[in-house]
Amino acid sequence: MQTITEGTTTFVTNSEKKITKGMPIFYNPVMKKNRDLTLFVLATMKDPSICLPMEASGVRAARILNELVNEHIIVPKKLAINDISPTAIDFAKRNVEKNRGNYPKKSIVFSVNEANKFLLSQKHYDYIDIDPFGTPNPFLNTAVQRIQRNGILAVTATDTAALAGTYPRATKRKYWSTPSRTWVMHEIGLRILIRKVQLIAAQYDVGLIPVLSVSADHYYRIFFRHKPSNVTVKNILNQHNHVAINTKTFAINESTNAADPGPLWTGNLHDRVFVKKLLATPLELEETRKLLETIHQETAIEQLGFYDMHELASAWKTEPPRKTHFFAKLGKHVAPTHITPTGFKTDLPLTTIQKHF
């Protein structure tokens, strides 16, 4: 057992250094940014009911209590903490008690159960966090049935090798789509995952709109807003299309050709107003705030795909320009993408880009 501090929260967890799927509990420091994003999102909600159906040793719950509740940012109506491992829940109880402050015990629910069984035993929640080791697929069906109207469903996928194109057969089998092993593979991967979640939700007339989509540290993390209506679902499905990616001209366009990558979500990856609300929260968490600032800049030019400076330089047989100098030339017509530091979005034609490159 070891004591760790993440954010401003101290908690105890096991002392294993190598993380494997079969471990009863584990602490993954790489996922700190993932948990930071949870705090930013919850900080925008008014006293939400929160469900953490695969909470492991309770790090996320402890941080919610210490960094949001104790700081008087939110007061959850309910905090539900579940894991299939009794050992994990023992740790979770200890960590929650250590960080609970004055938050009432009666508002906290602990459970040892398989995540789907736990969700099916519950009523609706304003916030549900699906954060598995690997694919979120086994948990989507129940999660979309338990998200409250206008609530937020958070979904993490760590099997990015399938979504980004390393294993295209796995992508087709697990996500009903075809990936793209190109410079935009991680954006395409995000869009494939978004579509899969939306299709599962559509069966129940649940419309899920992505308000924040993140590719970072070998995982994808998407926050969906639940908008229940047949019209919303219809509009969502109309934005599921194939995408044509030309590696010679760098053109990226929606396509009706089934041979092209897809189908996938071709709508916006983020809600600009929502991202602005995240940045208005009092949370410091400097590294993750910088990520959100980049995403906010990214939303200034909402388009499908992006260009990569190194890819363009290679095709044009030149050295890539200094990013700050290049962006200054293009001004309001260029925006960064959080997916890669060498990527950029623009509403200018490629011929104009080449002149200023």
Side-chain angles (χ1 to χ4, degrees):
M1 186 168 65
Q2 59 178 330
T3 300
I4 296 174
T5 298
E6 183 177 284
T8 60
T9 304
T10 301
F11 52 89
V12 292
T13 186
N14 64 337
S15 57
E16 297 289 337
K17 293 184 178 180
K18 186 177 180 181
I19 298 168
T20 63
K21 188 174 182 179
M23 292 171 60
I25 62 167
F26 59 85
Y27 166 70
N28 189 350
V30 174
M31 301 301 273
K32 174 188 178 294
K33 196 179 296 178
N34 181 307
R35 291 182 284 269
D36 286 354
L37 289 169
T38 299
L39 299 188
F40 272 102
V41 170
L42 287 173
T44 68
M45 302 177 74
K46 184 173 176 57
D47 304 336
S49 52
I50 302 169
C51 183
L52 309 174
M54 45 193 75
E55 177 54 357
S57 56
V59 179
R60 200 178 304 262
R63 291 193 63 191
I64 289 169
L65 290 167
N66 183 55
E67 298 173 48
L68 293 180
V69 178
N70 292 346
E71 294 299 319
H72 308 291
I73 297 172
I74 62 169
V75 182
K77 294 190 287 287
K78 182 179 180 181
L79 177 58
I81 300 165
N82 176 76
D83 199 89
I84 197 169
S85 165
T87 304
I89 290 300
D90 285 343
F91 272 93
K93 287 179 177 178
R94 183 182 303 187
N95 289 323
V96 163
E97 188 58 33
K98 180 180 177 66
N99 290 280
R100 181 172 61 85
N102 294 322
Y103 186 70
K105 280 186 177 181
K106 66 180 182 180
S107 298
I108 304 173
V109 174
F110 289 101
S111 171
V112 178
N113 209 336
E114 190 274 331
N116 286 309
K117 291 181 179 178
F118 175 71
L119 283 166
L120 288 173
S121 72
Q122 299 293 298
K123 295 183 179 180
H124 292 80
Y125 284 86
D126 299 311
Y127 179 88
I128 298 176
D129 205 309
I130 301 300
D131 187 32
F133 191 104
T135 177
N137 282 349
F139 313 102
L140 297 178
N141 204 53
T142 49
V144 299
Q145 295 179 68
R146 290 296 179 265
I147 193 68
Q148 185 66 268
R149 287 172 176 264
N150 298 313
I152 289 181
L153 172 63
V155 176
T156 299
T158 62
D159 59 335
T160 54
L163 285 160
T166 305
Y167 305 110
R169 290 184 179 179
T171 317
K172 191 170 185 178
R173 184 180 72 250
K174 296 162 67 175
Y175 294 104
W176 311 335
S177 190
T178 306
S180 172
R181 195 69 176 167
T182 61
W183 72 96
V184 287
M185 60 186 179
H186 288 301
E187 179 173 325
I188 296 299
L190 276 172
R191 293 179 178 280
I192 288 172
L193 177 59
I194 290 169
R195 172 181 175 267
K196 176 63 184 291
V197 178
Q198 290 173 329
L199 286 177
I200 298 299
Q203 300 173 98
Y204 305 100
D205 290 328
V206 171
L208 293 179
I209 306 294
V211 291
L212 179 67
S213 308
V214 177
S215 170
D217 303 321
H218 309 293
Y219 65 85
Y220 298 150
R221 177 78 158 157
I222 303 162
F223 296 86
F224 296 91
R225 176 80 69 185
H226 175 201
K227 295 291 185 183
S229 79
N230 292 332
V231 174
T232 300
V233 172
K234 182 179 179 180
N235 288 339
I236 286 171
L237 297 181
N238 285 338
Q239 294 179 80
H240 291 177
N241 298 299
H242 290 263
V243 171
I245 301 173
N246 191 317
T247 56
K248 292 183 179 180
T249 66
F250 299 98
I252 302 174
N253 299 295
E254 293 186 34
S255 167
T256 57
N257 186 352
D260 288 323
L264 44 81
W265 166 252
T266 58
N268 291 343
L269 291 175
H270 322 282
D271 181 306
R272 183 173 175 83
V273 174
F274 181 75
V275 177
K276 192 173 182 179
K277 286 181 180 179
L278 298 178
L279 289 169
T281 66
L283 297 173
E284 294 181 5
L285 301 172
E286 185 177 344
E287 183 185 10
T288 304
R289 181 169 284 276
K290 285 182 179 178
L291 168 66
L292 291 171
E293 287 170 350
T294 300
I295 290 174
H296 187 255
Q297 294 175 54
E298 182 178 331
T299 62
I301 301 178
E302 279 285 9
Q303 66 177 43
L304 186 64
F306 58 88
Y307 296 114
D308 184 271
M309 296 173 70
H310 287 181
E311 293 283 339
L312 294 176
S314 177
W316 294 336
K317 301 186 185 312
T318 185
E319 291 294 318
R322 285 179 55 195
K323 186 176 179 179
T324 52
H325 184 61
F326 177 63
F327 274 39
K329 281 184 177 181
L330 299 184
K332 66 179 182 179
H333 296 287
V334 68
T337 171
H338 79 282
I339 293 174
T340 172
T342 59
F344 65 94
K345 291 179 177 285
T346 181
D347 53 11
L348 295 172
L350 199 57
T351 51
T352 304
I353 297 300
Q354 190 170 10
K355 288 178 184 178
H356 293 285
F357 205 70

